[in-house]
Amino acid sequence: MEVFWDQTLRFFSFGDPIVRVAVAGCLLLGLACGLMGSFIMVRRLSLFGDTLSHAVLPGVAMGFIWNLSKDPVAILIGAVLAGYLGVMLVRWLTATTRLKEDAAMGMVLAGFYGLGVCLLTFVQRQAVGDMAGLDKMLFGQASALTGTDIQVLAVVSGVALALVAVFYKEFLVISFNETFARVSGIPVRWFNGLFFLLLSFAIVASLQAVGVVLVSAMLITPAATAYMLTDRMHRLIGLACVFGMLAGLIGCYLSFLGAGLPTGPFIVLVSSLGFIAAWFFSPRYGWVLEKLRRISRRRRMALENTLASIYRFREGEGHAETVALSLLGLSRHRNESLEEVESRLKRLQAEGFAKLVPSPRTAALEHCQVVLTAKGARRARTLIRNHRLWELYLNRAADYADDHVHDDAELMEHYLSEGLVDRLDQRLDYPRVDPHGRTIPSKEEARQ
Amino acid sequence: MKPVLETHDLTVIYSRKPVLYGVDLTVHAGSIVGLLGPNGAGKSTFIKACMGLIPLESGWVELFGQRGRKAIRRAGYVPQRESVDWDFPVNALDVVLMGRYGKLGLFRRPGKADREMAMDCLRMVNMEAYADRQIAALSGGQQQRIFLARALAQETDLYFLDEPFVGVDAATEAAIITILRKMRDQGKTLIVVHHDLTTAAQYFDQLVLLNMRVIASGPTQEVFTEENLHRAYGGRLTLLTQAASERIQQRSS
């Protein structure tokens, strides 16, 4: 346990230069991947991102062979060239053969990756030059990053960020509707080339810390997490960058605790957990909240139906004050068990819509009298008004048979807004009788 | 006065099969032109070729008497609704603002004036209440109107519309045609890809019947004849002929 706190302190004090470099690398890659990944995701180019990230590997090996040292600039150039070659190969295959894009991508991805692994193994066998970190390209090891790497990373991420900021509107319209962008006179081909270049930058920036195999997850997952939370592209990009950087930081820390465990899987794991959290708990598209909303909606409808039933019962008795409605009577009227009706009434009582008055003759709960409060009566009249106006509207305007309108109105009464009901009322010329011959409460009556 | 659109010997070939062959067409300003023809007749291909979106095998296109990219910028475009992903994270106003991008040029961002102009365009299609709605939350007809508002924001004198009436309800169809007529009355020219023969005679001032070649073109009452339709639709025209000839009888009576 002590070791744990020791290590945690050592990590978050950022005193150790190796930790500093690793953390800086992970933050930068999170930024670059979040930025480019947002566009990759909304353009449905996820598989393309995966292909590109594998296709750069032979270029990385060649960049090393170039001058037998881990020169980040040579590796960057090699990677971009190899990636370009891979993408061109996919285009060429789809243009000249019957192969579809996914098949071409699948092949290029695996082929280039295989070639890259062979080349890397070959380089390592030769055991020449400074190869620290070269073997970490597959799964990523942030601690193998050097100060020069970080400088290159910072420049690359900074350039990507600046260009996307300057040409945001062009990237946006091209992503949404490429043909429209072309007709508007935007040099789409030029921007797509730039996009490819920036994407390659982001991938190369991540190779050392996340590894070839998992880079595509770093592109997609933070963007997908952000997509659960917002409906605007600029916010999506911002959130994706933040999530990417957070995943980078936490993943880097976890791998540091494990002393030498590969960074990539941890970063991706943290990122995935973040996605799961957003998927479940997002206010707008979250699974949990959607379920909760549905439950509360259903409960509100059940309560409102009970209120309407009480009104209808009283209406059947000519609204006579002298006629008492017991809990048992209501349960018979609604055709529900006593327990159900009882729990609803308790809820209504708690919310101030109804009261349960004990019967003077007996203490038994089922003989309690059900009385609507003023607030409850208002709500009940409004529901009945909604219901009957909607029935009448369906009947008159939409030619629904009068024996078919009830079920629809039973649902709609809970959703109709006051403004819409007023317009219905006006449209139907303030009717007082519904298709079944019952009275429709007027607006003033409903409010009393 | 120079024609708004002129094509000569326009030929487009997709994998060795001609889709358009030697299309000569001249369109003058201020009318709604319906582009009609059977499926696969090359209607969408034709407007894409006019806008330089696909390479020509031969021939040329002139917009306002000019060729090339500069000329194409003077055309607005309403693509088919299904051609974009409506789950894209933008709201209605964002989409309409995209209509301003061409005029803004590379380095300028849309400002307050552009935003107000985009709102005016939304108002023109009766969609101002939906400005900050995510576009997936709109109905098909509303989405089509957003596209129309974006075209209005382009402020051009010539528009190409690719099947704007597909998948919209009757009320929206009527609303769209009203807007198109208003645009025409302002002197704009609208070239509309359309496939519904029953409404064609009603909607368009001019018709172009297309089936790889131009079968007939000119004022609607001259072009919309049974003989021309037969030539455009070939043997496929059975029910359609009936519907169309009924429509013609209605018009002449």
Side-chain angles (χ1 to χ4, degrees):
Chain A
M1 203 60 207
E2 210 168 296
V3 180
F4 169 78
W5 287 115
D6 248 24
Q7 291 288 77
T8 305
L9 193 68
R10 221 185 108 204
F11 182 87
F12 283 106
S13 63
F14 305 121
D16 189 332
I18 294 177
V19 170
R20 260 205 308 262
V21 168
V23 167
C26 289
L27 288 175
L28 286 170
L29 87 87
L31 181 75
C33 284
L35 182 69
M36 299 316 293
S38 300
F39 287 102
I40 283 279
M41 186 197 60
V42 298
R43 292 183 75 165
R44 304 183 178 179
L45 289 175
S46 304
L47 189 57
F48 176 81
D50 202 18
T51 308
L52 191 56
S53 66
H54 284 76
V56 298
L57 194 60
V60 172
M62 294 305 278
F64 177 80
I65 293 171
W66 178 257
N67 55 6
L68 291 179
S69 75
K70 218 189 90 190
D71 173 5
V73 178
I75 286 177
L76 184 70
I77 293 170
V80 170
L81 287 178
Y84 184 70
L85 200 68
V87 171
M88 282 298 126
L89 196 56
V90 169
R91 280 220 191 136
W92 191 54
L93 278 173
T94 42
T96 57
T97 68
R98 289 191 301 176
L99 285 173
K100 300 291 175 280
E101 200 171 41
D102 59 330
M105 280 185 176
M107 280 197 307
V108 168
L109 181 158
F112 273 62
Y113 180 66
L115 177 66
V117 173
C118 287
L119 282 174
L120 280 180
T121 320
F122 170 76
V123 171
Q124 277 164 339
R125 285 269 173 79
Q126 300 306 304
V128 285
D130 170 24
M131 304 186 302
L134 206 56
D135 55 329
K136 302 296 198 304
M137 289 291 184
L138 298 190
F139 292 108
Q141 181 49 270
S143 58
L145 287 165
T146 64
T148 334
D149 285 332
I150 297 301
Q151 282 166 11
V152 173
L153 277 188
V155 170
V156 159
S157 312
V159 166
L161 199 61
L163 284 173
V164 171
V166 172
F167 296 118
Y168 175 70
K169 77 175 196 299
E170 281 78 13
F171 281 119
L172 183 72
V173 66
I174 292 170
S175 304
F176 176 61
N177 198 344
E178 194 174 304
T179 49
F180 182 83
R182 280 169 70 184
V183 175
S184 308
I186 290 166
V188 171
R189 204 173 279 199
W190 196 84
F191 275 107
N192 278 341
L194 182 65
F195 182 78
F196 163 81
L197 203 65
L198 295 180
L199 181 61
S200 309
F201 282 1
I203 287 169
V204 176
S206 324
L207 278 187
Q208 194 62 239
V210 184
V212 173
V213 184
L214 295 173
V215 168
S216 66
M218 269 321 280
L219 288 170
I220 306 307
T221 314
T225 311
Y227 194 34
M228 290 282 137
L229 300 172
T230 177
D231 278 336
R232 299 294 293 283
M233 189 62 186
H234 59 277
R235 285 189 206 126
L236 191 149
I237 295 172
L239 283 174
C241 289
V242 170
F243 292 150
M245 287 163 81
L246 272 177
L249 181 68
I250 299 170
C252 188
Y253 162 67
L254 291 177
S255 125
F256 177 78
L257 283 185
L261 287 175
T263 343
F266 282 105
I267 295 181
V268 170
L269 204 61
V270 170
S271 188
S272 303
L273 288 174
F275 172 78
I276 290 170
W279 175 32
F280 273 46
F281 300 111
S282 152
R284 231 170 298 178
Y285 302 108
W287 185 84
V288 170
L289 285 170
E290 183 50 42
K291 276 269 176 295
L292 286 178
R293 266 195 294 269
R294 200 174 298 170
I295 290 168
S296 94
R297 208 156 45 215
R298 210 175 296 158
R299 199 161 71 184
R300 185 175 67 95
M301 277 169 70
L303 289 184
E304 290 186 344
N305 285 339
T306 309
L307 277 180
S309 287
I310 297 170
Y311 180 92
R312 286 201 179 92
F313 178 86
R314 294 227 164 271
E315 185 182 45
E317 304 294 335
H319 292 294
E321 294 293 329
T322 49
V323 179
L325 174 62
S326 69
L327 212 50
L328 190 64
L330 184 63
S331 108
R332 288 206 188 110
H333 181 73
R334 275 191 62 74
N335 218 347
E336 284 174 335
S337 74
L338 199 58
E339 289 75 29
E340 274 177 292
V341 177
E342 189 189 320
S343 83
R344 296 256 171 74
L345 254 299
K346 290 220 163 113
R347 203 60 247 157
L348 284 173
Q349 192 166 20
E351 290 181 22
F353 285 112
K355 272 188 298 196
L356 278 175
V357 184
S359 155
R361 272 166 293 159
T362 155
L365 192 64
E366 66 212 62
H367 293 294
C368 275
Q369 301 303 310
V370 178
V371 182
L372 289 181
T373 62
K375 180 179 160 193
R378 256 199 311 276
R379 186 89 197 99
R381 280 194 295 267
T382 307
L383 286 164
I384 293 289
R385 174 174 147 84
N386 291 356
H387 182 104
R388 291 182 181 165
L389 278 174
W390 187 251
E391 281 189 339
L392 195 65
Y393 176 72
L394 284 183
N395 189 229
R396 279 203 205 156
D399 276 340
Y400 260 52
D402 49 13
D403 53 345
H404 279 99
V405 292
H406 176 81
D407 292 342
D408 199 79
E410 191 60 27
L411 197 66
M412 282 304 285
E413 64 184 24
H414 306 284
Y415 294 108
L416 289 170
S417 69
E418 201 183 324
L420 187 62
V421 172
D422 287 346
R423 280 181 63 182
L424 274 179
D425 204 10
Q426 188 192 1
R427 185 79 180 270
L428 296 165
D429 201 18
Y430 308 101
R432 299 309 312 267
V433 186
D434 80 353
H436 311 292
R438 281 182 292 248
T439 311
I440 301 175
S442 72
K443 188 174 180 162
E444 288 67 36
E445 282 166 349
R447 274 186 178 167
Q448 261 170 28
Chain B
M1 208 174 128
K2 276 194 179 136
V4 177
L5 168 73
E6 191 172 3
T7 72
H8 175 68
D9 189 33
L10 189 85
T11 302
V12 174
I13 292 181
Y14 278 154
S15 47
R16 284 189 227 155
K17 269 201 240 156
V19 181
L20 293 170
Y21 185 74
V23 173
D24 293 336
L25 192 69
T26 307
V27 174
H28 290 278
S31 57
I32 307 180
V33 182
L35 203 56
L36 258 75
N39 282 335
K43 293 169 298 206
S44 289
T45 306
F46 176 74
I47 62 169
K48 283 188 180 135
C50 289
M51 289 180 293
L53 290 170
I54 42 179
L56 307 181
E57 196 65 27
S58 73
W60 47 259
V61 180
E62 276 185 1
L63 306 181
F64 307 97
Q66 287 179 308
R67 296 186 201 177
R69 283 176 66 155
K70 263 223 169 105
I72 289 162
R73 277 182 177 214
R74 296 182 61 186
Y77 179 36
V78 178
Q80 285 188 17
R81 195 158 51 81
E82 312 90 84
S83 66
V84 305
D85 173 16
W86 289 94
D87 283 325
F88 197 88
V90 282
N91 64 27
L93 186 65
D94 291 334
V95 175
V96 179
L97 265 177
M98 288 179 192
R100 304 298 302 154
Y101 289 5
K103 284 235 158 52
L104 281 169
L106 276 189
F107 292 97
R108 263 190 311 163
R109 285 156 181 270
K112 206 176 158 210
D114 296 298
R115 226 164 275 279
E116 272 163 19
M117 199 256 163
M119 273 312 282
D120 286 340
C121 295
L122 275 174
R123 225 162 273 138
M124 270 182 257
V125 300
N126 271 327
M127 286 290 292
E128 71 270 26
Y130 299 88
D132 51 10
R133 232 15 124 73
Q134 205 274 325
I135 51 174
L138 303 171
S139 72
Q142 290 171 332
Q143 290 173 344
Q144 194 64 63
R145 278 192 272 173
I146 293 299
F147 263 5
L148 212 55
R150 180 175 71 171
L152 287 167
Q154 287 184 284
E155 284 189 308
T156 54
D157 294 320
L158 168 66
Y159 287 98
F160 293 99
L161 298 91
D162 203 345
E163 302 263 18
F165 301 112
V166 162
V168 305
D169 54 278
T172 308
E173 191 160 333
I176 292 175
I177 197 72
T178 310
I179 297 162
L180 296 188
R181 287 191 176 132
K182 226 182 265 174
M183 290 164 79
R184 173 202 54 199
D185 295 343
Q186 290 164 7
K188 295 176 192 295
T189 308
L190 302 118
I191 296 175
V192 184
V193 173
H194 193 63
H195 71 270
D196 183 5
L197 284 181
T198 55
T199 49
Q202 212 182 321
Y203 286 172
F204 305 114
D205 311 324
Q206 310 235 12
L207 281 184
V208 177
L209 281 177
L210 196 73
N211 195 350
M212 198 161 79
R213 317 199 54 159
V214 175
I215 305 295
S217 75
T220 301
Q221 60 269 30
E222 285 170 28
V223 173
F224 206 74
T225 63
E226 205 175 329
E227 194 203 333
N228 278 338
L229 290 172
H230 247 301
R231 281 169 57 210
Y233 284 81
R236 274 171 283 185
L237 196 76
T238 47
L239 274 174
L240 285 173
T241 330
Q242 269 178 19
S245 52
E246 274 165 27
R247 185 57 73 170
I248 294 165
Q249 277 163 14
Q250 274 175 25
R251 280 174 66 90
S252 50
S253 63

